[in-house]
Amino acid sequence: MSKNPKLISRAYKSTDKPGFSIENNEQALSDLMVVAYTHQKNGEISLAIQAWNALLNHTAIDKDLSANAHLSLGNLHQLQGNDDLAIESMSKAIEANPNSSEAYFCLAHMAQSKEDFETAIKHFKSALKLNNKDCGAFNNLGNCYDRLEKTKEAIEAYSKAIELDEGYIAAVYNRGNAFLKSGKDDLAYKDLSKAIELDTNFYQAYYNRGTLLKRMGQDAQAQQDLDKAKTLAQQDLESQEAQGNTH
């Protein structure tokens, strides 16, 4: 398929012809999508935005395709750092398709990155009503509750993520920290140990478990964990520095 940007205007203008067939409309929409995705894949963000806008201006576009186009525009605007335009596009995606869980997820992540946790929670809940199988969304919902010091709600969200994926290390670790914060030492120890079992190089989990063990009066075991955390953290730092020197 041609990458010629002229395809955008040609496909759009063709719908002005009298008696334009459904088949031609479908082909024009297909051509525009190919152009948009090609520019997007090649990192040509401005051209991709132009292509998606041309698609949105096509007279034959339906609600599902409109929602998809707005969603793609939102992601592209976010890549450009235009958060206001990104939010506007995601909101239009939801207007076109109220069942677009992905649009709600995107709005939630943007709100979370701005530390607007109340708004993020609202959007995560809306998304999860539409798609309750996303363990990552439950984990991020838990993180938002945790930042608002709503530990009980955070634990519930992390637990739902773990129900979906028992090996989801981020949720296991985060729930362990939430248990630690709420004074549920046995449950915290269980989760932090599970996180270490899932990733034996997880130095943050060693550190937090060592802190917990010290609080529980198990000084020898605590020191082992703290020493292990220090060693692993140093190794991680050296690895990052080595990778940086190769670029």
Side-chain angles (χ1 to χ4, degrees):
M1 189 64 67
S2 172
K3 298 181 182 180
N4 189 343
K6 291 182 180 179
L7 177 62
I8 298 174
S9 58
R10 182 168 68 248
Y12 175 61
K13 290 179 180 179
S14 62
T15 61
D16 296 333
K17 296 178 181 179
F20 197 74
S21 69
I22 293 175
E23 290 79 7
N24 285 338
N25 272 332
E26 290 178 349
Q27 185 60 51
L29 291 171
S30 176
D31 288 345
L32 283 168
M33 287 186 66
V34 170
V35 172
Y37 278 124
T38 299
H39 286 314
Q40 199 165 324
K41 181 179 178 180
N42 293 337
E44 299 164 341
I45 297 177
S46 295
L47 291 174
I49 289 173
Q50 291 176 28
W52 285 119
N53 279 322
L55 182 66
L56 286 167
N57 288 328
H58 197 288
T59 56
I61 192 170
D62 60 22
K63 288 186 176 181
D64 287 340
L65 190 52
S66 176
N68 182 63
H70 282 301
L71 191 61
S72 294
L73 277 173
N75 289 325
L76 291 168
H77 287 313
Q78 192 176 10
L79 286 173
Q80 286 187 323
N82 295 326
D83 286 350
D84 290 341
L85 288 176
I87 292 170
E88 180 182 342
S89 293
M90 296 301 178
S91 299
K92 287 181 178 178
I94 292 169
E95 288 177 15
N97 179 12
N99 294 320
S100 176
S101 60
E102 187 176 353
Y104 281 113
F105 283 137
C106 290
L107 286 172
H109 284 299
M110 282 190 284
Q112 186 179 10
S113 67
K114 292 177 177 293
E115 300 191 355
D116 183 357
F117 300 115
E118 294 285 4
T119 299
I121 287 169
K122 180 185 73 173
H123 290 315
F124 275 128
K125 284 184 173 180
S126 295
L128 288 165
K129 283 182 181 179
L130 297 168
N131 175 14
N132 62 1
K133 301 299 183 183
D134 192 320
C135 57
F138 276 117
N139 181 62
N140 279 305
L141 176 61
N143 288 341
C144 292
Y145 278 128
D146 183 63
R147 292 294 299 272
L148 294 174
E149 300 298 330
K150 295 183 178 181
T151 306
K152 178 183 177 182
E153 291 86 346
I155 289 171
E156 289 175 354
Y158 294 139
S159 296
K160 288 179 180 177
I162 295 167
E163 285 175 13
L164 292 169
D165 182 358
E166 292 182 357
Y168 187 23
I169 189 169
V172 173
Y173 172 71
N174 288 333
R175 190 177 68 173
N177 289 334
F179 282 138
L180 183 62
K181 186 184 294 185
S182 59
K184 298 180 179 180
D185 291 352
D186 290 342
L187 292 173
Y189 180 83
K190 182 179 179 181
D191 274 350
L192 292 173
S193 296
K194 177 66 174 179
I196 291 169
E197 179 185 325
L198 291 168
D199 181 1
T200 56
N201 293 318
F202 197 171
Y203 64 84
Q204 296 95 330
Y206 277 108
Y207 181 84
N208 288 356
R209 192 176 70 173
T211 301
L212 170 62
L213 287 168
K214 194 171 186 66
R215 188 169 80 185
M216 296 170 68
Q218 300 182 34
D219 292 346
Q221 288 178 274
Q223 195 57 52
Q224 288 180 2
D225 273 1
L226 294 173
D227 289 343
K228 182 72 170 179
K230 183 178 180 181
T231 299
L232 290 172
Q234 183 62 36
Q235 290 174 353
D236 184 64
L237 178 61
E238 291 172 355
S239 176
Q240 291 182 33
E241 290 177 345
Q243 290 177 4
N245 291 333
T246 59
H247 296 295

